[in-house]
PDB file of all heavy atoms in Angstrom:
ATOM      1  N   GLU Z 401    -191.629  15.691  65.669  1.00 92.00           N
ATOM      2  CA  GLU Z 401    -190.854  14.922  66.653  1.00 92.00           C
ATOM      3  C   GLU Z 401    -191.935  14.508  67.790  1.00 92.00           C
ATOM      4  O   GLU Z 401    -191.689  13.470  68.373  1.00 92.00           O
ATOM      5  CB  GLU Z 401    -189.754  15.738  67.255  1.00 92.00           C
ATOM      6  CG  GLU Z 401    -188.668  16.068  66.299  1.00 92.00           C
ATOM      7  CD  GLU Z 401    -187.439  16.795  66.920  1.00 92.00           C
ATOM      8  OE1 GLU Z 401    -187.618  17.135  68.101  1.00 92.00           O
ATOM      9  OE2 GLU Z 401    -186.508  16.977  66.267  1.00 92.00           O
ATOM     10  N   LEU Z 402    -192.909  15.334  68.029  1.00 93.00           N
ATOM     11  CA  LEU Z 402    -193.883  14.936  69.012  1.00 93.00           C
ATOM     12  C   LEU Z 402    -194.587  13.707  68.612  1.00 93.00           C
ATOM     13  O   LEU Z 402    -194.849  12.695  69.401  1.00 93.00           O
ATOM     14  CB  LEU Z 402    -194.957  16.069  69.199  1.00 93.00           C
ATOM     15  CG  LEU Z 402    -196.135  15.821  70.152  1.00 93.00           C
ATOM     16  CD1 LEU Z 402    -195.665  15.499  71.574  1.00 93.00           C
ATOM     17  CD2 LEU Z 402    -197.045  16.886  70.139  1.00 93.00           C
ATOM     18  N   LEU Z 403    -195.095  13.718  67.405  1.00 94.00           N
ATOM     19  CA  LEU Z 403    -195.746  12.433  66.871  1.00 94.00           C
ATOM     20  C   LEU Z 403    -194.784  11.222  66.890  1.00 94.00           C
ATOM     21  O   LEU Z 403    -195.299  10.102  67.113  1.00 94.00           O
ATOM     22  CB  LEU Z 403    -196.197  12.673  65.475  1.00 94.00           C
ATOM     23  CG  LEU Z 403    -197.319  13.682  65.273  1.00 94.00           C
ATOM     24  CD1 LEU Z 403    -197.815  13.675  63.808  1.00 94.00           C
ATOM     25  CD2 LEU Z 403    -198.520  13.301  66.095  1.00 94.00           C
ATOM     26  N   LEU Z 404    -193.492  11.508  66.690  1.00 94.00           N
ATOM     27  CA  LEU Z 404    -192.538  10.308  66.702  1.00 94.00           C
ATOM     28  C   LEU Z 404    -192.378   9.781  68.099  1.00 94.00           C
ATOM     29  O   LEU Z 404    -192.324   8.516  68.261  1.00 94.00           O
ATOM     30  CB  LEU Z 404    -191.223  10.701  66.206  1.00 94.00           C
ATOM     31  CG  LEU Z 404    -191.106  11.001  64.581  1.00 94.00           C
ATOM     32  CD1 LEU Z 404    -189.795  11.487  64.222  1.00 94.00           C
ATOM     33  CD2 LEU Z 404    -191.566   9.812  63.878  1.00 94.00           C
ATOM     34  N   TYR Z 405    -192.326  10.710  69.033  1.00 94.00           N
ATOM     35  CA  TYR Z 405    -192.300  10.283  70.479  1.00 94.00           C
ATOM     36  C   TYR Z 405    -193.575   9.362  70.792  1.00 94.00           C
ATOM     37  O   TYR Z 405    -193.382   8.307  71.430  1.00 94.00           O
ATOM     38  CB  TYR Z 405    -192.225  11.439  71.443  1.00 94.00           C
ATOM     39  CG  TYR Z 405    -190.890  12.225  71.395  1.00 94.00           C
ATOM     40  CD1 TYR Z 405    -190.932  13.528  71.270  1.00 94.00           C
ATOM     41  CD2 TYR Z 405    -189.711  11.525  71.416  1.00 94.00           C
ATOM     42  CE1 TYR Z 405    -189.762  14.254  71.350  1.00 94.00           C
ATOM     43  CE2 TYR Z 405    -188.496  12.143  71.470  1.00 94.00           C
ATOM     44  CZ  TYR Z 405    -188.499  13.575  71.289  1.00 94.00           C
ATOM     45  OH  TYR Z 405    -187.398  14.329  71.388  1.00 94.00           O
ATOM     46  N   MET Z 406    -194.741   9.919  70.499  1.00 93.00           N
ATOM     47  CA  MET Z 406    -195.917   9.095  70.670  1.00 93.00           C
ATOM     48  C   MET Z 406    -195.960   7.810  69.889  1.00 93.00           C
ATOM     49  O   MET Z 406    -196.389   6.695  70.458  1.00 93.00           O
ATOM     50  CB  MET Z 406    -197.047   9.996  70.279  1.00 93.00           C
ATOM     51  CG  MET Z 406    -197.367  11.274  71.018  1.00 93.00           C
ATOM     52  SD  MET Z 406    -198.490  12.367  70.372  1.00 93.00           S
ATOM     53  CE  MET Z 406    -199.980  11.350  70.375  1.00 93.00           C
ATOM     54  N   GLY Z 407    -195.395   7.764  68.745  1.00 93.00           N
ATOM     55  CA  GLY Z 407    -195.303   6.498  67.939  1.00 93.00           C
ATOM     56  C   GLY Z 407    -194.441   5.550  68.451  1.00 93.00           C
ATOM     57  O   GLY Z 407    -194.878   4.320  68.519  1.00 93.00           O
ATOM     58  N   PHE Z 408    -193.217   5.869  68.955  1.00 94.00           N
ATOM     59  CA  PHE Z 408    -192.316   4.982  69.624  1.00 94.00           C
ATOM     60  C   PHE Z 408    -192.903   4.453  70.909  1.00 94.00           C
ATOM     61  O   PHE Z 408    -192.843   3.140  71.152  1.00 94.00           O
ATOM     62  CB  PHE Z 408    -190.979   5.613  69.937  1.00 94.00           C
ATOM     63  CG  PHE Z 408    -190.091   5.858  68.744  1.00 94.00           C
ATOM     64  CD1 PHE Z 408    -189.696   7.087  68.314  1.00 94.00           C
ATOM     65  CD2 PHE Z 408    -189.611   4.713  67.940  1.00 94.00           C
ATOM     66  CE1 PHE Z 408    -188.887   7.258  67.183  1.00 94.00           C
ATOM     67  CE2 PHE Z 408    -188.933   4.824  66.846  1.00 94.00           C
ATOM     68  CZ  PHE Z 408    -188.524   6.110  66.499  1.00 94.00           C
ATOM     69  N   ILE Z 409    -193.633   5.170  71.628  1.00 93.00           N
ATOM     70  CA  ILE Z 409    -194.191   4.674  72.891  1.00 93.00           C
ATOM     71  C   ILE Z 409    -195.294   3.761  72.533  1.00 93.00           C
ATOM     72  O   ILE Z 409    -195.455   2.653  73.171  1.00 93.00           O
ATOM     73  CB  ILE Z 409    -194.696   5.838  73.769  1.00 93.00           C
ATOM     74  CG1 ILE Z 409    -193.489   6.641  74.233  1.00 93.00           C
ATOM     75  CG2 ILE Z 409    -195.450   5.358  74.941  1.00 93.00           C
ATOM     76  CD1 ILE Z 409    -193.859   7.883  74.994  1.00 93.00           C
ATOM     77  N   ALA Z 410    -196.283   4.136  71.511  1.00 91.00           N
ATOM     78  CA  ALA Z 410    -197.273   3.232  71.175  1.00 91.00           C
ATOM     79  C   ALA Z 410    -196.853   1.906  70.543  1.00 91.00           C
ATOM     80  O   ALA Z 410    -197.363   0.837  70.984  1.00 91.00           O
ATOM     81  CB  ALA Z 410    -198.168   3.949  70.160  1.00 91.00           C
ATOM     82  N   GLY Z 411    -195.793   1.973  69.832  1.00 90.00           N
ATOM     83  CA  GLY Z 411    -195.144   0.840  69.175  1.00 90.00           C
ATOM     84  C   GLY Z 411    -194.571  -0.149  70.300  1.00 90.00           C
ATOM     85  O   GLY Z 411    -194.719  -1.339  70.336  1.00 90.00           O
ATOM     86  N   ALA Z 412    -193.912   0.521  71.359  1.00 90.00           N
ATOM     87  CA  ALA Z 412    -193.296  -0.372  72.404  1.00 90.00           C
ATOM     88  C   ALA Z 412    -194.440  -1.022  73.196  1.00 90.00           C
ATOM     89  O   ALA Z 412    -194.375  -2.181  73.695  1.00 90.00           O
ATOM     90  CB  ALA Z 412    -192.349   0.556  73.266  1.00 90.00           C
TER      91      ALA Z 412
END
Side-chain angles (χ1 to χ4, degrees):
E401 293 182 358
L402 173 64
L403 291 184
L404 290 179
Y405 290 132
M406 297 170 58
F408 280 121
I409 295 174

